Amino acid sequence: MATRSTIMDTNSYRADSGVPLSPRTAQLVARRQDVLGPSYRLFYRRPVHLVSGHGAHLVDADGADYLDVYNNVASVGHAHPRVAAAIAEQAATLNTHTRYLHDGIVGYGESVLALLPEQLDRVMFCCTGSEANDLAVRVAQAATGGTGVIVTAEAYHGNTALTSGMSPALGTAQPLGTDVRVVPAPDAYRVRVGDPARPGDPADPAALGRWMADQVRAQIADLERHGIRFAAFLADSIFSSDGVHPDPVGYLQPVMEAVHQAGGVWIADEVQPGFARTGEAFWGFARHGVVPDLVTMGKPMANGIPMSALAARSEVLAPFGEQIPYFNTFGGNPVAMAAAQAVLDVIHDEGLQRHAATVGARLLTELRHLAARHPSVGDVRGAGLYIGVDLVQDPVTRAPDTATALDVVEGLRDRYVLTSVCGPGNVLKLRPPLVFDDDDVDRLCTELDEVLTEVEHRPARH
Amino acid sequence: MATRSTIMDTNSYRADSGVPLSPRTAQLVARRQDVLGPSYRLFYRRPVHLVSGHGAHLVDADGADYLDVYNNVASVGHAHPRVAAAIAEQAATLNTHTRYLHDGIVGYGESVLALLPEQLDRVMFCCTGSEANDLAVRVAQAATGGTGVIVTAEAYHGNTALTSGMSPALGTAQPLGTDVRVVPAPDAYRVRVGDPARPGDPADPAALGRWMADQVRAQIADLERHGIRFAAFLADSIFSSDGVHPDPVGYLQPVMEAVHQAGGVWIADEVQPGFARTGEAFWGFARHGVVPDLVTMGKPMANGIPMSALAARSEVLAPFGEQIPYFNTFGGNPVAMAAAQAVLDVIHDEGLQRHAATVGARLLTELRHLAARHPSVGDVRGAGLYIGVDLVQDPVTRAPDTATALDVVEGLRDRYVLTSVCGPGNVLKLRPPLVFDDDDVDRLCTELDEVLTEVEHRPARH
């Protein structure tokens, strides 16, 4: 699985693609390129120009309705009226910072800690997942006296200098930190665990977990060999950017034991799986029955108002918190707190965790039926409404098929269904707002069936 | 000027101070300490519990009105109805990210670039000033191939791992980066420029500028002596956390020449002086007649919705932007863009830049009258509505008086006037919302006069 070194094989608009755009879209693309820096990318060969959203649906400038199977920020639904009302009310009342007392941050802090294991008893607020992970690593380094951090092969943990160096998914032009080591993704579809003469069963959580723990121990040893003390294992508990690896449930337990035996801190990056997405639990780590030392969260917290947080065990947080001033001007502001509290209330009152479990299970079943008819689909896996569809060149070799995955994403976009890819680029990332319903499942599966049929019948490109 | 190494001498609540709190405040403080990490600080020996705001005024839970002379985030006024309405409308319509086309980011990008010198022709959006500075340093490093960064003695540039290491204001427990060097603040009140036998005139911008340029050149030489290539000079153009050093206008020109001669990039951190605050110009750097290579901005951009930006010369941005993917999930989101556009519209339509110049000039004059009567005030300096009042132990030695400054801040708080300190802790930081008016000036000066009289007549503590 090669790391991407260019953007040529990712889901993005390219000016040189020759794909015709409508005059309005072409003009907006040109104006945009004239003001934004060259790092900016647009999804799709024909970019989508959005104007509004509701539930799991988005509407473009021509009034076309798109099924959103991608966005986990607007997790309780685009422009949810209850969240929008909370934002409007607080913005018209007061928005300030945490050096004054305000009920909002205290109330929400209590709310979010009540959803976490009791060992995680303190919370700090930032504005982005990047900031939360950056802070978490500094906290872990202060707690351990080490600097070494281990991540997975296609991990993405943020865009700050520190977290970019812990994000191999950014490609080879972005150097990893000198104190960073990488372990392979826990890809139960591909890894062969245990003694080759007596292959382990990937469906056995203990076997996959022992294999992953061995990988982590080897990297801890490599850090130590270079005089770098191990500080933290930083992992998205559903390994989203590695291609979505939720199963078998429990496989993270031996890995956590290895991390703790070496004196390291486990940072659970819940930016992707947190806030009820997996259906089975409110947090990704909770599915595996483990309790992290630090938990970072972000994207879905406030339905689009920038907000993130770090939850911590007091004793892990103390060495940093008692020494280093940390103030985040916008972190924990009353508007963000009001939005975030409304999101929790909506998740609870609309039963979205159970809904994600039910609808996600049905979607997984339907997708597996599709997979049985389509040889390009090697594997379908997921938890709740986080599902990966793994496209392969050959079901026997299981070689990733990035080109087909991109064609599927574009084919779906042409049919007004918004998705993208993850992993090494061959895994369809299905991560809709949690209000995704049965009609949406039907629409997605119908369109995906047709697109897969098309791409499987096109002239061979491999 | 010692760097603070503890929080004991900063403006903050301390549980062990023995100052009695109202039952409601005491209970909220206790709940807050039970959920938030130990890094969190509250202003004032008796924390302020806020519930609403309007204009330059804040209201606490008992209905008391406070004059806000501190907050530059709600720069166009707390809960400004036009900004609140823009936020409410967009939050009820759509909030998504920059991988789809949206008119908001393009329109606002054009608006903000139109306010900058034409050489700065690209913009990228983040969520916090810390993120913008973190990105700016990475861009400068890619542009120069160097890593060395120079900042001022009490600079604060952010809370990420990278920018914390460029923020000596965080105190000695926070190590500076190994590639970071520090120059003294351009404190025209204290530094003696030029040949001691023929002291330069600090009011001569060329003299102060040459002195500062010499300091910068010496640190560039020290970087090179250690094999570290110089990348950037990172400076708040009004040197806020160094104690507010706006004058003489033009002194940054020789410094910029020194930076460019050495092949470095000038990063203007406009998080504090930007967006019309200085009255004399829309940006802090513009007062000095210089054009930076990179400009970061943040706090006042969206009146409290987390938002920041990096503006850049295309050619400086290119080496980073063309190589490194950068995506900020919340950066440039439609709600932030709508809020930011409303802020620009309000600054324009309400004439706030001219207002800041007029009211700021009057405030400066009134404060200088006060200074003439109060020996504890060594200097009053500022531009527009960013003013520092420098408290000294002795007007001859000009030794900073941190203890008196803190007593003044607390005395003002007891009189319902909110301020804080900057610099080495002895400079009152006066930085109100730009809608601060003549009545507010009178109220501030009356209360400050009485508080200064009180502290000057208390039993000596030195």
Side-chain angles (χ1 to χ4, degrees):
Chain A
M1 282 180 256
T3 300
R4 293 184 294 282
S5 59
T6 72
I7 65 153
M8 301 305 285
D9 57 351
T10 63
N11 169 18
S12 66
Y13 165 75
R14 298 197 305 275
D16 60 0
S17 73
V19 175
L21 305 180
S22 77
R24 173 158 58 182
T25 298
Q27 191 195 30
L28 190 58
V29 167
R31 283 173 59 205
R32 182 179 142 117
Q33 289 182 331
D34 219 34
V35 293
L36 300 183
S39 288
Y40 279 80
R41 309 270 183 269
L42 286 164
F43 275 156
Y44 310 118
R45 292 166 197 152
R46 291 190 301 126
V48 177
H49 176 187
L50 296 176
V51 297
S52 67
H54 54 92
H57 295 256
L58 289 160
V59 179
D60 77 6
D62 295 318
D65 171 87
Y66 291 77
L67 180 62
D68 181 1
V69 196
Y70 182 76
N71 287 294
N72 62 338
V73 168
S75 188
V76 300
H78 288 285
H80 193 291
R82 196 163 158 190
V83 182
I87 292 166
E89 183 182 347
Q90 190 59 49
T93 306
L94 177 70
N95 202 15
T96 186
H97 56 79
T98 57
R99 281 169 171 160
Y100 307 117
L101 285 171
H102 191 268
D103 291 295
I105 190 172
V106 177
Y108 182 74
E110 291 169 347
S111 295
V112 78
L113 287 178
L115 292 163
L116 284 158
E118 62 182 354
Q119 297 94 326
L120 292 149
D121 57 352
R122 291 292 183 275
V123 63
M124 297 176 70
F125 295 105
C126 318
C127 296
T128 65
S130 300
E131 285 192 336
N133 281 330
D134 192 289
L135 177 59
V137 170
R138 293 171 70 205
V139 167
Q141 291 174 337
T144 59
T147 56
V149 174
I150 297 174
V151 298
T152 49
E154 292 284 347
Y156 176 76
H157 294 294
N159 56 35
T160 64
L162 182 68
T163 57
S164 291
M166 299 172 179
S167 297
L170 289 171
T172 52
Q174 168 63 53
L176 295 179
T178 50
D179 294 0
V180 173
R181 295 295 182 276
V182 170
V183 294
D187 182 345
Y189 175 58
R190 288 187 178 83
V191 299
R192 290 290 163 267
V193 300
D195 180 352
R198 293 177 303 163
D201 176 4
D204 170 11
L208 186 69
R210 280 195 305 270
W211 171 84
M212 193 177 190
D214 285 343
Q215 306 294 321
V216 169
R217 271 189 286 263
Q219 294 306 320
I220 294 171
D222 187 66
L223 285 167
E224 288 174 354
R225 182 68 188 84
H226 289 83
I228 301 166
R229 188 188 292 189
F230 176 51
F233 183 64
L234 168 58
D236 166 359
S237 318
I238 199 167
F239 300 93
S240 315
S241 71
D242 282 292
V244 189
H245 302 294
D247 292 321
V249 166
Y251 76 80
L252 291 183
Q253 290 180 12
V255 189
M256 185 167 284
E257 284 168 25
V259 168
H260 285 159
Q261 277 166 6
V265 163
W266 184 291
I267 307 171
D269 180 343
E270 290 286 330
V271 167
Q272 298 279 354
F275 289 84
R277 175 153 295 276
T278 69
E280 298 168 16
F282 199 84
W283 308 104
F285 66 78
R287 295 178 62 248
H288 292 283
V290 297
V291 179
D293 305 296
L294 299 171
V295 174
T296 56
M297 50 193 94
K299 295 189 197 296
M301 286 189 94
N303 230 41
I305 297 295
M307 173 171 174
S308 67
L310 167 67
R313 297 176 188 248
S314 312
E315 66 276 17
V316 175
L317 185 57
F320 178 88
E322 290 169 2
Q323 290 253 5
I324 309 290
Y326 182 92
F327 173 66
N328 190 310
T329 297
F330 298 131
N333 74 73
V335 169
M337 293 295 109
Q341 186 62 55
V343 166
L344 286 187
D345 293 346
V346 169
I347 290 173
H348 180 268
D349 294 352
E350 297 185 10
L352 290 181
Q353 184 177 330
R354 180 178 299 191
H355 179 81
T358 308
V359 175
R362 199 195 136 213
L363 177 55
L364 202 61
T365 301
E366 299 285 344
L367 291 169
R368 284 178 173 153
H369 289 157
L370 277 189
R373 295 201 305 278
H374 291 285
S376 60
V377 179
D379 192 31
V380 176
R381 52 190 179 252
L385 283 168
Y386 213 128
I387 295 177
V389 178
D390 194 320
L391 299 181
V392 293
Q393 297 177 36
D394 180 311
V396 177
T397 67
R398 302 184 174 184
D401 192 344
T402 302
T404 294
L406 285 175
D407 284 345
V408 171
V409 166
E410 296 287 349
L412 287 169
R413 177 257 175 269
D414 289 342
R415 292 160 180 271
Y416 303 94
V417 175
L418 302 179
T419 65
S420 192
V421 289
C422 59
N426 68 305
V427 181
L428 292 187
K429 180 160 66 171
L430 306 181
R431 189 189 56 175
L434 299 183
V435 291
F436 206 72
D437 65 18
D438 281 325
D439 289 345
D440 299 329
V441 170
D442 294 340
R443 180 170 164 191
L444 167 62
C445 291
T446 300
E447 302 293 359
L448 180 58
D449 192 14
E450 294 186 14
V451 170
L452 286 169
T453 302
E454 278 177 15
V455 299
E456 287 169 357
H457 288 82
R458 74 180 173 200
R461 297 204 310 201
H462 300 302
Chain B
M1 285 182 253
T3 299
R4 294 185 294 282
S5 60
T6 72
I7 65 153
M8 301 306 285
D9 57 351
T10 63
N11 169 17
S12 68
Y13 165 74
R14 298 198 303 275
D16 60 0
S17 72
V19 175
L21 305 180
S22 76
R24 175 159 57 180
T25 298
Q27 190 195 32
L28 191 56
V29 167
R31 282 174 59 206
R32 184 179 141 116
Q33 290 183 330
D34 218 35
V35 294
L36 301 183
S39 289
Y40 279 80
R41 310 269 183 268
L42 287 163
F43 275 156
Y44 309 119
R45 292 168 197 151
R46 291 190 302 126
V48 177
H49 176 186
L50 296 175
V51 298
S52 68
H54 52 94
H57 295 255
L58 290 161
V59 179
D60 76 6
D62 295 318
D65 170 89
Y66 291 77
L67 179 62
D68 181 3
V69 196
Y70 181 76
N71 287 294
N72 62 339
V73 169
S75 188
V76 301
H78 289 285
H80 193 293
R82 197 164 157 189
V83 182
I87 293 167
E89 184 183 347
Q90 190 59 50
T93 305
L94 178 69
N95 202 16
T96 186
H97 56 80
T98 58
R99 282 172 169 157
Y100 306 117
L101 285 171
H102 191 267
D103 292 296
I105 190 171
V106 177
Y108 182 75
E110 292 169 345
S111 294
V112 77
L113 287 177
L115 292 163
L116 284 158
E118 62 181 353
Q119 297 95 324
L120 292 149
D121 56 351
R122 292 290 184 277
V123 64
M124 296 176 71
F125 295 105
C126 318
C127 296
T128 66
S130 300
E131 286 193 336
N133 281 329
D134 192 289
L135 177 60
V137 170
R138 294 171 69 204
V139 167
Q141 290 174 338
T144 59
T147 56
V149 174
I150 297 174
V151 297
T152 49
E154 291 284 348
Y156 176 76
H157 294 295
N159 56 35
T160 64
L162 182 69
T163 57
S164 292
M166 299 172 179
S167 297
L170 289 171
T172 52
Q174 168 63 52
L176 295 179
T178 50
D179 294 359
V180 174
R181 295 294 183 275
V182 171
V183 293
D187 182 345
Y189 175 58
R190 288 188 178 83
V191 299
R192 290 291 162 266
V193 300
D195 180 352
R198 294 176 301 165
D201 176 5
D204 170 12
L208 185 70
R210 280 195 304 271
W211 171 84
M212 193 176 191
D214 285 343
Q215 306 294 321
V216 168
R217 271 190 285 263
Q219 294 306 319
I220 293 171
D222 186 66
L223 285 168
E224 289 176 352
R225 182 66 188 87
H226 289 83
I228 300 165
R229 187 187 292 188
F230 176 50
F233 182 63
L234 169 57
D236 165 359
S237 317
I238 199 167
F239 300 93
S240 315
S241 71
D242 283 292
V244 189
H245 301 294
D247 293 321
V249 166
Y251 76 79
L252 290 183
Q253 290 179 12
V255 189
M256 185 169 284
E257 285 167 24
V259 168
H260 285 160
Q261 276 166 7
V265 163
W266 184 291
I267 307 170
D269 180 344
E270 291 285 331
V271 168
Q272 298 279 353
F275 290 84
R277 175 153 295 276
T278 68
E280 298 169 17
F282 199 84
W283 308 103
F285 65 79
R287 294 177 64 247
H288 293 282
V290 297
V291 179
D293 305 296
L294 298 171
V295 175
T296 57
M297 51 194 93
K299 294 189 197 295
M301 287 189 94
N303 229 40
I305 297 296
M307 173 171 173
S308 68
L310 168 67
R313 297 176 187 249
S314 314
E315 67 275 19
V316 175
L317 184 57
F320 178 87
E322 290 170 1
Q323 291 252 5
I324 309 289
Y326 181 91
F327 174 66
N328 189 311
T329 298
F330 298 130
N333 74 73
V335 169
M337 294 294 108
Q341 187 62 55
V343 165
L344 285 187
D345 294 346
V346 169
I347 290 174
H348 179 268
D349 295 352
E350 297 186 10
L352 291 182
Q353 185 177 329
R354 180 178 299 192
H355 178 81
T358 309
V359 175
R362 197 191 140 218
L363 177 56
L364 203 61
T365 302
E366 300 284 345
L367 291 169
R368 284 177 173 153
H369 289 156
L370 277 189
R373 294 201 305 277
H374 291 286
S376 61
V377 179
D379 192 31
V380 177
R381 52 189 180 256
L385 283 169
Y386 214 127
I387 296 178
V389 177
D390 193 319
L391 299 180
V392 294
Q393 296 178 37
D394 179 309
V396 177
T397 67
R398 302 184 174 183
D401 191 344
T402 302
T404 294
L406 285 176
D407 284 346
V408 170
V409 165
E410 295 288 348
L412 287 169
R413 177 259 174 268
D414 289 342
R415 291 158 181 273
Y416 303 95
V417 175
L418 302 179
T419 64
S420 192
V421 290
C422 60
N426 68 305
V427 181
L428 292 188
K429 180 159 68 170
L430 306 182
R431 189 189 55 176
L434 299 182
V435 292
F436 205 72
D437 66 18
D438 281 324
D439 288 345
D440 299 329
V441 170
D442 293 340
R443 179 170 163 190
L444 167 62
C445 291
T446 301
E447 302 293 0
L448 180 58
D449 193 13
E450 294 185 14
V451 170
L452 286 169
T453 303
E454 278 176 14
V455 298
E456 287 168 356
H457 289 82
R458 74 182 172 197
R461 297 205 310 201
H462 299 303

